Amino acid sequence: MEKNEALAALSALGQETRLDVFRLLVVAGEEGLLAGQISDALDLRANTLSANLTILLNAGLVHNKREGRAIRYFSNMQGMRGLLDYLTKDCCGGAPDGCL
């Protein structure tokens, strides 16, 4: 992960609604959730959810899959691992095992 990608991910997660959406998708796991399910669970208007999902998509923290007229969203754990790896890359002088 590059610095600009890390900044985009941190910025995306630095907003309450987007953090709630991401955490909800993490809990949903591999099944993901339809946009309507996310909206219902978090009591969000469709346009508000759409704007926030777009930011999370652009930050590489979620991905989606079209199912007919609906869209299912999933957390992108590979993107989150990339962010965590970037943040801890030089932990403990390059020996992160020593940080435990």
Side-chain angles (χ1 to χ4, degrees), residues 24 33 36-44:
L24 182 66
L33 293 169
Q37 292 172 308
I38 299 168
S39 179
D40 290 345
L42 299 176
D43 194 27
L44 297 171

Side-chain angles (χ1 to χ4, degrees), residues 68-84:
R69 294 180 55 177
I71 301 176
R72 185 173 296 274
Y73 289 88
F74 308 86
S75 60
N76 181 0
M77 295 313 292
Q78 184 177 3
M80 178 52 77
R81 280 188 209 96
L83 175 61
L84 293 173

